Amino acid sequence: MQELEKILEEIDAHAIEFEAFGISDDYISVGWVKEIIRKHMNDGWISVEERLPYIGQRVIATIKHHAWITDYDSDWVPESEKSRNQEYTESCEAVMGEDGSWTYRCKEDDYTEDTAYINPKKDISKPISEVIAWQPMPETYRPERSVGE
C-alpha cells in the first residue's frame, strides 16, 4: 500500500503543476500516468526490450558481464588451469550511441570507458558486456527542497 501512496503523491504533485497553468487535472495524460506507475513497479528500471533512452542521453544502466574463459584458445594451457571469469552485473553510467552500442563507465575514480551491447552474440572466449535495463540519471541536489530548514 505504501508504494501506491507514493504513486498517488507523484500524480498529485504533477496535477498541481498542471493547475498552475490553468489546466484541470482531468486532462493529465494517461501515458504520463502509466510512466509513473511503471517507474514504481521496478524501482525506475526500464528493460531495453521495453524502451530505449534517447541517443546520447546519460543514464544509469544495468550491465551484465557474461562469463568467459581467459585462456580459451590457448592450446598450451591445460584445461584445469584456464582462468574462468564468472558472470556478474553492475550499475554504471552509460550513453547509447547512434549505432546501438553503449559506452559505459562503472567506477567514478576510473576514467576507462568500455562498450556494451543489447543482445550480443554469446562467446565464452572473450569478455562480453550486455545492457539489460536502464533508468534516467537522478535529479541533482536542490538545496531549496531540503527538509527541516
Side-chain angles (χ1 to χ4, degrees):
M1 193 63 160
Q2 192 173 15
E3 196 64 27
L4 290 175
E5 289 169 357
K6 289 179 185 177
I7 292 169
L8 288 173
E9 286 175 10
E10 191 169 339
I11 290 170
D12 284 342
H14 286 289
I16 291 168
E17 291 175 17
F18 277 97
E19 288 173 3
F21 291 103
I23 301 171
S24 166
D25 64 356
D26 293 338
Y27 295 101
I28 294 175
S29 164
V30 171
W32 177 75
V33 173
K34 286 180 181 178
E35 183 70 26
I36 290 172
I37 292 169
R38 280 192 189 102
K39 182 177 80 175
H40 286 271
M41 287 171 57
N42 199 0
D43 292 331
W45 288 103
I46 302 163
S47 165
V48 294
E49 281 83 27
E50 180 183 331
R51 184 166 50 100
L52 295 173
Y54 300 112
I55 293 171
Q57 178 184 358
R58 286 179 50 228
V59 299
I60 303 295
T62 298
I63 308 289
K64 180 181 194 177
H65 303 281
H66 291 273
W68 63 289
I69 301 172
T70 305
D71 311 306
Y72 184 79
D73 292 328
S74 302
D75 294 336
W76 61 91
V77 178
E79 192 66 33
S80 62
E81 294 179 20
K82 291 186 177 186
S83 301
R84 286 166 170 67
N85 301 276
Q86 299 299 315
E87 178 177 289
Y88 68 97
T89 58
E90 62 183 331
S91 296
C92 309
E93 183 178 327
V95 175
M96 185 179 73
E98 290 182 15
D99 64 353
S101 67
W102 295 61
T103 302
Y104 70 93
R105 184 175 64 215
C106 292
K107 297 172 183 63
E108 290 180 21
D109 58 343
D110 182 7
Y111 293 102
T112 304
E113 291 184 339
D114 290 307
T115 304
Y117 303 91
I118 297 173
N119 297 319
K121 181 180 176 187
K122 306 303 186 259
D123 184 350
I124 62 170
S125 69
K126 60 184 177 184
I128 295 179
S129 299
E130 177 178 12
V131 179
I132 57 175
W134 65 278
Q135 65 179 330
M137 295 290 286
E139 288 187 35
T140 56
Y141 172 72
R142 292 174 50 184
E144 66 272 14
R145 289 189 177 178
S146 292
V147 178
E149 291 184 9

